Short mmCIF file of all heavy atoms in Angstrom, two decimals:
data_model
loop_
_atom_site.label_atom_id
_atom_site.label_comp_id
_atom_site.label_asym_id
_atom_site.label_seq_id
_atom_site.Cartn_x
_atom_site.Cartn_y
_atom_site.Cartn_z
N ILE N 287 -39.89 -81.10 -78.41
CA ILE N 287 -39.39 -80.37 -79.58
C ILE N 287 -38.00 -79.88 -79.34
O ILE N 287 -37.71 -79.18 -78.39
CB ILE N 287 -40.49 -79.25 -79.84
CG1 ILE N 287 -41.82 -79.72 -80.05
CG2 ILE N 287 -39.96 -78.31 -81.06
CD1 ILE N 287 -42.91 -78.64 -80.17
N ILE N 288 -37.10 -80.16 -80.31
CA ILE N 288 -35.75 -79.84 -80.22
C ILE N 288 -35.63 -78.35 -80.01
O ILE N 288 -34.79 -77.81 -79.29
CB ILE N 288 -34.99 -80.20 -81.36
CG1 ILE N 288 -34.95 -81.71 -81.51
CG2 ILE N 288 -33.62 -79.67 -81.46
CD1 ILE N 288 -34.42 -82.33 -82.76
N LYS N 289 -36.40 -77.42 -80.81
CA LYS N 289 -36.27 -75.93 -80.69
C LYS N 289 -36.50 -75.35 -79.26
O LYS N 289 -35.83 -74.53 -79.01
CB LYS N 289 -37.47 -75.49 -81.50
CG LYS N 289 -37.41 -73.91 -81.65
CD LYS N 289 -38.51 -73.36 -82.61
CE LYS N 289 -39.80 -73.33 -81.84
NZ LYS N 289 -40.84 -72.65 -82.50
N ASP N 290 -37.14 -76.11 -78.36
CA ASP N 290 -37.34 -75.73 -77.06
C ASP N 290 -36.03 -75.78 -76.19
O ASP N 290 -35.99 -75.24 -75.10
CB ASP N 290 -38.41 -76.64 -76.38
CG ASP N 290 -39.80 -76.28 -76.98
OD1 ASP N 290 -39.92 -75.30 -77.58
OD2 ASP N 290 -40.60 -77.16 -76.72
N TYR N 291 -35.01 -76.60 -76.75
CA TYR N 291 -33.81 -76.84 -76.03
C TYR N 291 -32.57 -76.21 -76.66
O TYR N 291 -31.42 -76.21 -76.12
CB TYR N 291 -33.53 -78.24 -75.73
CG TYR N 291 -34.57 -78.81 -74.81
CD1 TYR N 291 -35.78 -79.32 -75.36
CD2 TYR N 291 -34.54 -78.64 -73.45
CE1 TYR N 291 -36.77 -79.81 -74.45
CE2 TYR N 291 -35.41 -79.11 -72.60
CZ TYR N 291 -36.60 -79.66 -73.06
OH TYR N 291 -37.57 -80.19 -72.30
N MET N 292 -32.81 -75.53 -77.83
CA MET N 292 -31.68 -75.02 -78.62
C MET N 292 -31.44 -73.56 -78.16
O MET N 292 -32.42 -72.90 -77.86
CB MET N 292 -32.03 -75.12 -80.12
CG MET N 292 -31.95 -76.48 -80.60
SD MET N 292 -32.42 -76.47 -82.48
CE MET N 292 -31.17 -75.46 -83.12
N THR N 293 -30.25 -73.01 -78.31
CA THR N 293 -29.86 -71.65 -78.19
C THR N 293 -30.36 -70.96 -79.53
O THR N 293 -29.83 -71.22 -80.52
CB THR N 293 -28.42 -71.56 -77.99
OG1 THR N 293 -27.99 -72.28 -76.75
CG2 THR N 293 -27.89 -70.10 -77.76
N PRO N 294 -31.23 -69.99 -79.30
CA PRO N 294 -31.63 -69.20 -80.44
C PRO N 294 -30.39 -68.30 -80.97
O PRO N 294 -29.72 -67.74 -80.17
CB PRO N 294 -32.81 -68.33 -79.97
CG PRO N 294 -32.51 -68.17 -78.47
CD PRO N 294 -31.94 -69.46 -78.10
N ASP N 295 -30.21 -68.33 -82.30
CA ASP N 295 -29.20 -67.46 -82.89
C ASP N 295 -27.76 -67.61 -82.20
O ASP N 295 -27.23 -66.69 -81.69
CB ASP N 295 -29.55 -65.99 -82.92
CG ASP N 295 -28.71 -65.24 -83.90
OD1 ASP N 295 -28.23 -65.78 -84.88
OD2 ASP N 295 -28.46 -64.04 -83.59
N PRO N 296 -27.28 -68.96 -82.15
CA PRO N 296 -26.05 -69.07 -81.44
C PRO N 296 -24.76 -68.49 -82.15
O PRO N 296 -24.86 -68.23 -83.32
CB PRO N 296 -25.87 -70.72 -81.49
CG PRO N 296 -26.58 -71.09 -82.78
CD PRO N 296 -27.71 -70.06 -82.90
N GLU N 297 -23.74 -68.36 -81.42
CA GLU N 297 -22.48 -67.90 -81.97
C GLU N 297 -22.14 -68.95 -83.04
O GLU N 297 -22.42 -70.19 -82.89
CB GLU N 297 -21.37 -67.91 -80.83
CG GLU N 297 -21.53 -66.88 -79.80
CD GLU N 297 -21.05 -65.52 -80.33
OE1 GLU N 297 -20.22 -65.44 -81.26
OE2 GLU N 297 -21.51 -64.52 -79.60
N ALA N 298 -21.47 -68.57 -84.06
CA ALA N 298 -21.16 -69.47 -85.15
C ALA N 298 -19.80 -69.08 -85.81
O ALA N 298 -19.34 -68.06 -85.62
CB ALA N 298 -22.27 -69.57 -86.27
N LEU N 299 -19.28 -70.09 -86.51
CA LEU N 299 -17.97 -69.85 -87.27
C LEU N 299 -18.27 -70.11 -88.69
O LEU N 299 -19.16 -70.94 -89.14
CB LEU N 299 -17.00 -70.76 -86.74
CG LEU N 299 -16.56 -70.65 -85.33
CD1 LEU N 299 -15.72 -71.90 -84.87
CD2 LEU N 299 -15.70 -69.34 -85.12
N MET N 300 -17.47 -69.40 -89.52
CA MET N 300 -17.49 -69.78 -91.06
C MET N 300 -16.53 -70.85 -91.25
O MET N 300 -15.51 -71.01 -90.46
CB MET N 300 -17.03 -68.61 -91.75
CG MET N 300 -17.92 -67.25 -91.40
SD MET N 300 -19.66 -67.46 -91.99
CE MET N 300 -19.59 -67.27 -93.77
N GLU N 301 -16.64 -71.57 -92.35
CA GLU N 301 -15.81 -72.80 -92.57
C GLU N 301 -14.34 -72.38 -92.81
O GLU N 301 -13.41 -73.18 -92.77
CB GLU N 301 -16.35 -73.63 -93.65
CG GLU N 301 -16.26 -73.07 -94.97
CD GLU N 301 -16.92 -74.06 -96.03
OE1 GLU N 301 -16.77 -75.21 -95.97
OE2 GLU N 301 -17.58 -73.52 -96.98
N ASP N 302 -14.10 -71.08 -93.21
CA ASP N 302 -12.75 -70.63 -93.55
C ASP N 302 -12.18 -69.85 -92.34
O ASP N 302 -11.03 -69.34 -92.51
CB ASP N 302 -12.63 -69.87 -94.82
CG ASP N 302 -13.50 -68.67 -94.87
OD1 ASP N 302 -14.37 -68.43 -93.90
OD2 ASP N 302 -13.39 -67.84 -95.73
N ASP N 303 -12.82 -69.89 -91.15
CA ASP N 303 -12.23 -69.18 -89.98
C ASP N 303 -11.02 -70.05 -89.50
O ASP N 303 -11.04 -71.25 -89.60
CB ASP N 303 -13.23 -69.12 -88.91
CG ASP N 303 -14.27 -67.93 -89.02
OD1 ASP N 303 -13.96 -67.13 -89.78
OD2 ASP N 303 -15.37 -68.15 -88.47
N PRO N 304 -9.99 -69.27 -89.03
CA PRO N 304 -8.82 -70.10 -88.51
C PRO N 304 -9.13 -70.93 -87.21
O PRO N 304 -9.99 -70.49 -86.50
CB PRO N 304 -7.71 -69.03 -88.36
CG PRO N 304 -8.50 -67.73 -88.43
CD PRO N 304 -9.82 -67.90 -88.98
N ILE N 305 -8.30 -71.87 -87.03
CA ILE N 305 -8.49 -72.71 -85.73
C ILE N 305 -8.35 -71.84 -84.59
O ILE N 305 -9.06 -72.03 -83.67
CB ILE N 305 -7.47 -73.85 -85.74
CG1 ILE N 305 -7.74 -74.74 -86.89
CG2 ILE N 305 -7.36 -74.57 -84.48
CD1 ILE N 305 -8.85 -75.77 -86.68
N ALA N 306 -7.35 -70.84 -84.57
CA ALA N 306 -7.14 -69.99 -83.44
C ALA N 306 -8.43 -69.21 -83.07
O ALA N 306 -8.75 -69.08 -81.86
CB ALA N 306 -5.97 -69.08 -83.67
N PHE N 307 -9.16 -68.80 -84.12
CA PHE N 307 -10.37 -68.09 -83.89
C PHE N 307 -11.41 -68.93 -83.26
O PHE N 307 -12.07 -68.52 -82.29
CB PHE N 307 -10.98 -67.52 -85.13
CG PHE N 307 -12.04 -66.52 -85.15
CD1 PHE N 307 -11.90 -65.28 -84.50
CD2 PHE N 307 -13.25 -66.97 -85.54
CE1 PHE N 307 -12.91 -64.45 -84.41
CE2 PHE N 307 -14.37 -66.01 -85.45
CZ PHE N 307 -14.18 -64.88 -84.85
N ALA N 308 -11.49 -70.18 -83.72
CA ALA N 308 -12.41 -71.08 -83.06
C ALA N 308 -12.18 -71.37 -81.58
O ALA N 308 -12.95 -71.32 -80.67
CB ALA N 308 -12.43 -72.31 -83.87
N MET N 309 -10.77 -71.59 -81.29
CA MET N 309 -10.44 -71.80 -79.95
C MET N 309 -10.79 -70.61 -79.00
O MET N 309 -11.21 -70.79 -77.94
CB MET N 309 -9.01 -72.20 -79.81
CG MET N 309 -8.65 -73.53 -80.48
SD MET N 309 -6.87 -73.93 -80.33
CE MET N 309 -6.63 -74.07 -78.62
N ASN N 310 -10.39 -69.48 -79.50
CA ASN N 310 -10.61 -68.20 -78.80
C ASN N 310 -12.14 -68.08 -78.42
O ASN N 310 -12.52 -67.76 -77.41
CB ASN N 310 -10.11 -67.07 -79.56
CG ASN N 310 -10.17 -65.72 -78.79
OD1 ASN N 310 -9.73 -65.62 -77.67
ND2 ASN N 310 -10.89 -64.73 -79.31
N LYS N 311 -12.92 -68.23 -79.48
CA LYS N 311 -14.47 -68.09 -79.37
C LYS N 311 -14.96 -69.16 -78.37
O LYS N 311 -15.74 -68.79 -77.42
CB LYS N 311 -15.09 -68.26 -80.69
CG LYS N 311 -16.54 -67.91 -80.62
CD LYS N 311 -17.09 -67.88 -81.98
CE LYS N 311 -16.94 -66.68 -82.76
NZ LYS N 311 -17.91 -65.60 -82.67
N MET N 312 -14.50 -70.33 -78.43
CA MET N 312 -14.95 -71.41 -77.46
C MET N 312 -14.48 -71.03 -76.02
O MET N 312 -15.22 -71.17 -75.11
CB MET N 312 -14.28 -72.71 -77.90
CG MET N 312 -15.08 -73.32 -79.24
SD MET N 312 -14.27 -74.78 -79.63
CE MET N 312 -15.68 -75.74 -79.93
N ILE N 313 -13.19 -70.68 -75.87
CA ILE N 313 -12.77 -70.39 -74.44
C ILE N 313 -13.39 -69.23 -73.87
O ILE N 313 -13.80 -69.20 -72.81
CB ILE N 313 -11.15 -70.30 -74.48
CG1 ILE N 313 -10.59 -71.58 -74.71
CG2 ILE N 313 -10.72 -69.74 -73.15
CD1 ILE N 313 -9.11 -71.62 -75.13
N ASP N 314 -13.40 -68.06 -74.63
CA ASP N 314 -14.00 -66.84 -74.20
C ASP N 314 -15.57 -67.04 -73.82
O ASP N 314 -16.08 -66.52 -72.93
CB ASP N 314 -13.86 -65.70 -75.11
CG ASP N 314 -12.47 -65.07 -75.17
OD1 ASP N 314 -11.62 -65.49 -74.21
OD2 ASP N 314 -12.10 -64.30 -76.02
N GLY N 315 -16.28 -67.76 -74.78
CA GLY N 315 -17.70 -67.90 -74.55
C GLY N 315 -18.07 -69.09 -73.68
O GLY N 315 -19.22 -69.26 -73.30
N GLY N 316 -17.13 -69.88 -73.40
CA GLY N 316 -17.48 -71.17 -72.58
C GLY N 316 -18.14 -72.12 -73.30
O GLY N 316 -19.04 -72.93 -72.79
#
């Protein structure tokens, strides 16, 4: 079951978030 391997309530982005915000979130959160 996929649910067994998914992160519950993961960090997410909105489609109008800036690229810099996405990069920052990815780098800070790993």
Side-chain angles (χ1 to χ4, degrees):
I287 299 171
I288 294 172
K289 181 177 85 169
D290 293 341
Y291 294 90
M292 291 177 57
T293 301
D295 195 30
E297 294 277 339
L299 296 166
M300 304 295 285
E301 65 182 330
D302 58 351
D303 284 337
I305 295 288
F307 187 68
M309 289 181 65
N310 185 55
K311 190 175 279 268
M312 289 177 135
I313 291 168
D314 283 351

